[in-house]
Amino acid sequence: MNRIVVIKRGVVLLVLFALTIWVVSRWDVWFGNPPEPSYSVMQSPSRILMTNGELPNHRTITWQHDSIIQSACVEYADVSHSHYDILYVAKANAVTFESRSGKSTFYRANMTELNEGGDYKYRICSGIDTTQWFEFSMPKSDSLFSFLFFGDVQDELNGSFDSLFHQAMLKNRDRAFVLFAGDLIERPMDKYWAEVFRSFDTLSATCPILSVPGNHEYLKGVTRRLEGRFPLVFPYFFQDTLRLKEFGVLDNSLYTFSRGDAQFFFLDSNRDFWNYFAQRTWLKNELRKSDKKWKVVVLHHPVHSVKGFFNGLMVRLFFEDVLEDYNVDVVLQGHEHVYARSSSTITNELKEPLYLVTYSSQKDYPMKFYGDVAKWGTADRYYQKFEVSFDSIVMNTYTSSHELYDKVVLIKDDSGKLVMKDLGVDIPQRIEVSDWFRANKREKRVKEFEESIEKWKKSQE
């Protein structure tokens, strides 16, 4: 046999061997799931959450209780009129979900007898247990409303997100609902769901909370799979299944709803990329038939990654042109644990859409200062308050100390022309290596992050 051929074959075998060793060493990181610790089943109605119902004037309540299905309902009453003593009853649907280390029963009930601007109270009757009364108000029909947006949370047990969340909710009592960008939990385990609801406390029972799924709500594998607790907590993904089936996206977590002059569209960027074909078709159809002035898309992975060109490439290839061609105004994203507001402006006219990457986690990751980013932020937890009216959207970004960090005003006239006012340009940017990063990453990575920050700062001089 020719010596050259032998050498070539030897090199190929060596490369294959090295690749095999590398794949084996990375297998658990890519495809493995840490075991879930065993947990105790809740013996009374707990983890109560209010979210959107099947219609705009409905509200759905979800909760967990025991591991055996019991007769359950939600009793509710209008407290703003003379018929305060009339109780409506919403019967609950129940599903017993078995995770990797236990099982629990999830309930959901849809309150339908609700009127715009009304004040209500409700309680859960589950088996022989009855909760306290919770009070909430329905929004009025005018076009002016506000909502809060939080990026990834991913708290460890007994984390600090609860303080940020409670203070933000108290300072913004006029919010109509709360949106999350996914990765509410660190892993799909009961103990991390318990941490989420510890942070929410009773606030989740009185204000609609919605979230797209993040990759941390998924179980890893050769094919990724959304862990079943997520859609049981957020059951609006179960709605309108016939229409979703028409587009072949029944197993994708897609959802759309309207409020005032705005319509929101939820995508599931965590799915394997071949699912994006059906998601793209669904999104185009929903955007095409929407008659709302403002269009907001929410997904977990950024369309324009700040990690580099090849990060999120499939998301960008499948959705970027749809977002631009159908005049989406705002794209809300998480995943990369950095604050990055992207906006291309020419003589103050905005090239749609406005892209926002944000995070509310104690964990932050290094960026590569890549892309058309108008404002960066690191080493903090951030959240946004959006104020929506007929002719404008105002985005206010706040730090964990609730100081204004960024502000943008989008104005759209009757012709559809969109103009942006950047009111955050003069607010100093916080770009530094966080204490968390220094404590949890190798010295080499800390140094690399510091050097990239210094290089960027010099480029701005």
Side-chain angles (χ1 to χ4, degrees):
M1 186 180 292
N2 188 299
R3 174 181 285 184
I4 295 178
V5 173
V6 172
I7 293 174
K8 286 182 177 179
R9 288 182 178 179
V11 170
V12 170
L13 288 173
L14 184 61
V15 170
L16 289 175
F17 178 75
L19 284 174
T20 300
I21 296 297
W22 180 62
V23 169
V24 169
S25 69
R26 300 293 295 174
W27 187 266
D28 282 344
V29 175
W30 293 337
F31 306 118
N33 296 289
E36 179 182 18
S38 59
Y39 55 90
S40 300
V41 180
M42 287 158 286
Q43 296 300 313
S44 61
S46 307
R47 302 183 187 178
I48 301 167
L49 183 137
M50 173 183 287
T51 191
N52 282 3
E54 295 177 355
L55 295 174
N57 61 334
H58 294 182
R59 290 291 180 267
T60 294
I61 307 298
T62 63
W63 68 95
Q64 289 176 250
H65 182 197
D66 209 344
S67 60
I68 301 172
I69 294 177
Q70 305 180 55
S71 177
C73 68
V74 168
E75 295 180 342
Y76 61 105
D78 186 334
V79 300
S80 60
H81 298 92
S82 59
H83 53 280
Y84 171 85
D85 56 340
I86 298 177
L87 284 178
Y88 300 100
V89 178
K91 186 178 179 180
N93 294 315
V95 175
T96 298
F97 175 77
E98 187 167 357
S99 71
R100 292 172 292 156
S101 294
K103 61 181 180 179
S104 181
T105 301
F106 289 74
Y107 294 83
R108 70 178 185 273
N110 194 36
M111 295 187 290
T112 60
E113 301 295 331
L114 304 173
N115 297 314
E116 294 176 349
D119 297 316
Y120 295 89
K121 68 172 186 176
Y122 76 90
R123 66 179 180 180
I124 293 170
C125 303
S126 189
I128 62 173
D129 294 293
T130 301
T131 66
Q132 70 184 76
W133 289 97
F134 299 99
E135 296 187 358
F136 69 99
S137 298
M138 292 295 290
K140 298 179 181 179
S141 59
D142 57 48
S143 61
L144 179 63
F145 70 94
S146 66
F147 68 92
L148 298 181
F149 179 64
F150 294 89
D152 301 24
V153 177
Q154 279 184 251
D155 252 353
E156 297 292 343
L157 301 183
N158 299 309
S160 57
F161 177 70
D162 59 334
S163 176
L164 174 67
F165 182 71
H166 279 245
Q167 288 297 315
M169 295 287 276
L170 289 172
K171 290 178 179 291
N172 299 281
R173 294 178 183 271
D174 59 337
R175 72 283 191 260
F177 55 89
V178 180
L179 286 183
F180 284 88
D183 280 7
L184 277 168
I185 56 177
E186 174 63 21
R187 297 288 178 191
M189 300 179 184
D190 182 81
K191 65 178 183 179
Y192 291 119
W193 279 112
E195 175 63 23
V196 167
F197 281 95
R198 184 193 69 81
S199 297
F200 286 165
D201 196 23
T202 58
L203 291 172
S204 62
T206 58
C207 176
I209 293 181
L210 302 95
S211 179
V212 296
N215 57 293
H216 280 253
E217 277 83 45
Y218 268 71
L219 287 170
K220 296 179 182 179
V222 177
T223 299
R224 293 186 286 266
R225 177 169 58 90
L226 180 63
E227 213 258 358
R229 278 173 279 210
F230 186 85
L232 291 171
V233 173
F234 299 104
Y236 44 81
F237 293 116
F238 291 141
Q239 298 169 17
D240 212 1
T241 55
L242 289 178
R243 185 167 55 87
L244 291 177
K245 188 174 183 180
E246 176 186 349
F247 294 100
V249 292
L250 189 58
D251 294 330
N252 290 255
S253 299
L254 307 180
Y255 177 60
T256 183
F257 71 98
S258 297
R259 176 63 58 84
D261 295 302
Q263 186 167 350
F264 297 79
F265 307 85
F266 289 7
L267 295 175
D268 187 357
S269 59
N270 309 277
R271 297 301 302 273
D272 298 296
F273 77 88
W274 49 84
N275 293 278
Y276 293 170
F277 289 99
Q279 290 196 32
R280 174 186 169 91
T281 301
W282 174 85
L283 180 61
K284 287 173 67 175
N285 181 76
E286 295 298 324
L287 289 170
R288 184 184 297 116
K289 69 183 184 181
S290 175
D291 61 355
K292 297 299 182 179
K293 189 167 186 177
W294 299 104
K295 299 175 179 64
V296 180
V297 170
V298 189
L299 71 164
H300 183 64
H301 292 82
V303 176
H304 295 281
S305 171
V306 298
K307 302 291 187 181
F309 177 81
F310 292 103
N311 282 63
L313 180 60
M314 298 306 292
V315 174
R316 186 160 65 253
L317 289 176
F318 274 89
F319 298 115
E320 180 183 28
D321 64 325
V322 178
L323 300 173
E324 294 180 358
D325 293 346
Y326 288 86
N327 299 318
V328 171
D329 302 292
V330 179
V331 181
L332 303 178
Q333 308 147 113
H335 186 62
E336 294 191 336
H337 291 223
V338 67
Y339 182 80
R341 187 251 296 170
S342 303
S343 51
S344 301
T345 57
I346 303 174
T347 62
N348 212 36
E349 184 175 345
L350 179 67
K351 178 184 177 183
E352 296 184 276
L354 173 69
Y355 291 97
L356 176 71
V357 179
T358 188
Y359 71 110
S360 305
S361 173
Q362 64 180 348
K363 305 174 183 179
D364 55 358
Y365 307 147
M367 65 289 208
K368 294 185 178 179
F369 299 102
Y370 176 86
D372 185 20
V373 175
K375 184 141 193 178
W376 297 96
T378 64
D380 208 337
R381 294 178 184 243
Y382 300 89
Y383 70 94
Q384 287 70 42
K385 180 180 183 179
F386 286 85
E387 300 169 279
V388 184
S389 66
F390 176 72
D391 59 359
S392 69
I393 291 181
V394 180
M395 184 197 79
N396 301 280
T397 294
Y398 297 98
T399 65
S400 60
S401 56
H402 310 284
E403 297 176 346
L404 185 65
Y405 186 77
D406 195 11
K407 184 167 186 171
V408 174
V409 180
L410 306 181
I411 302 172
K412 186 183 288 187
D413 59 25
D414 292 335
S415 68
K417 179 181 177 182
L418 190 65
V419 174
M420 183 191 79
K421 294 182 178 180
D422 187 344
L423 304 182
V425 66
D426 294 326
I427 301 175
Q429 301 183 82
R430 182 178 184 182
I431 306 174
E432 59 189 65
V433 180
S434 70
D435 293 338
W436 179 90
F437 196 87
R438 294 182 185 279
N440 289 273
K441 300 299 179 180
R442 296 191 304 271
E443 184 178 348
K444 179 180 178 181
R445 292 198 66 189
V446 172
K447 186 175 181 180
E448 289 174 348
F449 194 9
E450 289 176 333
E451 289 174 351
S452 68
I453 290 174
E454 288 304 313
K455 182 178 179 180
W456 178 81
K457 287 182 177 179
K458 289 181 179 179
S459 71
Q460 303 300 302
E461 293 176 354

